[in-house]
Amino acid sequence: MAGRRSTPRPSGALGAVRMSAGQWVACAATALAVVVSLGGYGWYQGIVGNITTTQVDTTWDRPTSVEGVMNLLIIGSDVRSGENADYGEAEGERPDTMLIASINVDNGAATLVNLPRDLVVDLPACEAVEGYEGMSPHSGMINSAMTFGGIGCQWQAVENATDVHLDHFVMMDFTGFKDMVDAIGGVEMCIPEPVDDPKAHLVLDAGLQTLDGEDSLGFVRSRYAQGDGGDLSRIDRQQEFMGAMLRQVLSSEVMTSPVTITNFLGAVTDSVTTDDELTVDTMTDLAISMREVDLQRIQFVTVPNGQHPADPNRLVMSDEAPALFEAINAGADLAGGGEDGGGESEGEAEQGPAPEDVSVEILNNAGVDGLALEVQAVLAGEGYTVTGTGNPVARFPEATTVYHAPGEEAAAEMLAGSMESAVTEEAEGLAQTLELVLAPDWAGFADGSSSAPEVSVTDDLGGITAEETESAC
């Protein structure tokens, strides 16, 4: 996994101004649409000046930032006040839902990873700050950190749970989301079945239709009257809406209309709160990287998860989650294979073993603490079955060596070929296909080979892209 370091930021608790926030779909669409839209308009500095900013103390032990990758924490809060009071009452302040928007500024790709509110993780200790009582470390729902320690505590909780360095945060409220949708003339959505959800203030007929701001807000908030009534199925609908909204924002009708863009950015900037280091210059850099965006390279996925063993109403991250976050840390291309995916042809695949057919034990003789676990994350992400890690007890080579059982030369060569420096050797009596012993000459993975897990959001994790797909209408 990525290394950790402390990154000083200006000290001080969360500022006095805290915006209430709506659904993550509004926030995420904002984050992406803003950086895309700003690229073509030189007058945006004045509009961006409307954004509310706040200072966050991020002096905890943090994951290492990754050059060329910008990770945004997009959050929405259950606080309902002011113009948002019409949407019910909720005690305290906690994100209803959250996501990490990882933007690769080198290749213009973006991956948005939703963190379900029912996800249980190990939460860190957070000191009391103005307006918040603080908390001791414990196991709890990932979105509860904000209730006890504000945005700084929530930021730390997400970093601790994912080991992903977050560069900035963005929040948005219900009213701003409605105004944003109305500013672009609504969003066209396919509604497969009629919807009547009093809790979400939503009544819709079935069929293809354009949702205005009020109906769009109800659609992304609706839970019990659609699908199975669960949060995960609602997230799926939110991702579909986000893709439709991005297509609308990026359409020529919107992008070529100064009035529409002005209204849209006005709605965005009047309704968001960010950290004080998300500057105009930073937004400019993002705008440049995203202005030629390909909708196939904007991907949405829910963090791999499963039922909590002690509570059927809660979730935990599954074994696939670390590989996803490691790939994000490495700036890996998470797009699916397809014609340009660079994968093996059918003939090539038949000539040798696949990682999925190979088991390997990883032993650390390199004198570097934690190295076997780092290599395990890479190989598991590539499909190898890792049977264990530890220190060698029988073989202590000076060069990194892949030991193989008789007849498994091809598997050993495949694994050794993915590394900068590794040799192979036959060994009798192995309990698995291969035994990888990392030696003092360890030099990492070879160029052209994954130095992070090869995870495809669409092929492996059930994610979708922002590109339009066939609908039920």
Side-chain angles (χ1 to χ4, degrees):
M1 297 291 284
R4 304 186 73 86
R5 64 179 174 84
S6 294
T7 306
R9 291 275 301 272
S11 61
L14 178 65
V17 179
R18 294 192 304 275
M19 299 287 292
S20 60
Q23 294 300 318
W24 67 268
V25 62
C27 301
T30 298
L32 289 176
V34 166
V35 297
V36 172
S37 302
L38 296 182
Y41 294 89
W43 39 257
Y44 73 92
Q45 288 92 339
I47 294 178
V48 171
N50 294 334
I51 295 176
T52 300
T53 62
T54 191
Q55 189 179 73
V56 183
D57 179 6
T58 57
T59 55
W60 58 85
D61 183 28
R62 304 188 62 197
T64 303
S65 60
V66 181
E67 185 176 358
V69 177
M70 177 72 71
N71 296 319
L72 305 177
L73 176 62
I74 312 297
I75 63 177
S77 171
D78 260 349
V79 167
R80 317 249 176 107
S81 59
E83 293 181 66
N84 302 301
D86 292 339
Y87 299 100
E89 298 180 358
E91 285 190 33
E93 179 180 29
R94 65 174 61 193
D96 185 41
T97 48
M98 289 185 298
L99 66 83
I100 297 172
S102 183
I103 302 171
N104 191 313
V105 297
D106 292 330
N107 63 23
T111 300
L112 290 85
V113 183
N114 186 269
L115 304 172
R117 60 187 179 184
D118 294 336
L119 194 66
V120 174
V121 299
D122 290 332
L123 297 171
C126 292
E127 295 183 359
V129 294
E130 184 178 355
Y132 300 94
E133 65 186 60
M135 69 179 186
S136 300
H138 67 284
S139 177
M141 291 171 61
I142 192 169
N143 68 345
S144 64
M146 192 167 176
T147 303
F148 298 102
I151 182 60
C153 185
Q154 188 65 70
W155 189 327
Q156 182 180 0
V158 173
E159 284 198 342
N160 281 13
T162 64
D163 206 28
V164 170
H165 179 96
L166 301 172
D167 298 284
H168 304 287
F169 83 89
V170 179
M171 293 197 300
M172 184 177 224
D173 66 15
F174 289 154
T175 302
F177 173 51
K178 293 193 304 181
D179 292 344
M180 183 174 64
V181 173
D182 287 335
I184 60 173
V187 175
E188 187 175 75
M189 288 293 297
C190 171
I191 310 301
E193 299 177 353
V195 179
D196 187 356
D197 188 345
K199 290 187 176 182
H201 299 204
L202 181 66
V203 177
L204 294 175
D205 295 327
L208 189 66
Q209 54 199 283
T210 298
L211 305 184
D212 62 14
E214 187 71 41
D215 284 341
S216 294
L217 178 60
F219 181 81
V220 299
R221 294 181 63 229
S222 176
R223 174 172 178 174
Y224 299 104
Q226 298 189 72
D228 61 8
D231 196 42
L232 293 179
S233 64
R234 181 177 68 163
I235 288 171
D236 291 340
R237 292 190 297 274
Q238 291 172 339
Q239 291 171 345
E240 292 174 6
F241 182 90
M242 190 189 307
M245 185 171 187
L246 285 172
R247 293 193 295 272
Q248 178 73 7
V249 170
L250 294 173
S251 69
S252 58
E253 290 82 1
V254 172
M255 293 296 287
T256 58
S257 170
V259 173
T260 301
I261 284 293
T262 300
N263 292 339
F264 175 75
L265 293 181
V268 169
T269 58
D270 282 344
S271 307
V272 298
T273 298
T274 72
D275 60 285
D276 57 359
E277 292 195 359
L278 186 52
T279 64
V280 170
D281 288 341
T282 301
M283 292 184 183
T284 302
D285 291 340
L286 288 174
I288 292 172
S289 71
M290 297 293 289
R291 63 186 174 186
E292 301 294 335
V293 67
D294 182 345
L295 291 175
Q296 280 190 316
R297 300 183 65 75
I298 298 177
Q299 302 174 103
F300 314 109
V301 66
T302 302
V303 64
N305 65 82
Q307 188 180 86
H308 193 288
D311 187 344
N313 295 315
R314 296 290 178 262
L315 303 170
V316 292
M317 292 189 197
S318 68
D319 293 340
E320 296 173 300
L324 171 62
F325 293 130
E326 179 70 11
I328 287 175
N329 274 337
D333 189 343
L334 301 179
E339 294 181 0
D340 299 324
E344 292 179 323
S345 68
E346 184 177 348
E348 291 172 330
E350 292 174 352
Q351 293 178 8
E356 292 78 8
D357 302 324
V358 178
S359 61
V360 56
E361 182 180 21
I362 304 170
L363 303 177
N364 185 1
N365 192 43
V368 179
D369 290 343
L371 180 59
L373 292 176
E374 291 185 19
V375 174
Q376 176 190 21
V378 174
L379 296 186
E382 291 178 345
Y384 290 92
T385 299
V386 178
T387 60
T389 62
N391 297 318
V393 295
R395 287 172 280 273
F396 305 87
E398 294 184 0
T400 296
T401 303
V402 180
Y403 294 99
H404 61 86
E408 299 293 348
E409 294 87 349
E413 292 291 345
M414 176 180 65
L415 178 57
S418 69
M419 303 172 191
E420 282 286 356
S421 177
V423 297
T424 64
E425 183 177 330
E426 184 174 315
E428 296 284 349
L430 293 182
Q432 61 286 317
T433 312
L434 305 175
E435 176 184 280
L436 169 61
V437 181
L438 307 169
D441 72 336
W442 170 254
F445 289 85
D447 291 339
S449 173
S450 175
S451 59
E454 292 180 355
V455 178
S456 166
V457 164
T458 53
D459 292 347
D460 301 328
L461 302 180
I464 63 172
T465 73
E467 192 173 44
E468 189 169 11
T469 58
E470 267 189 58
S471 71
C473 295

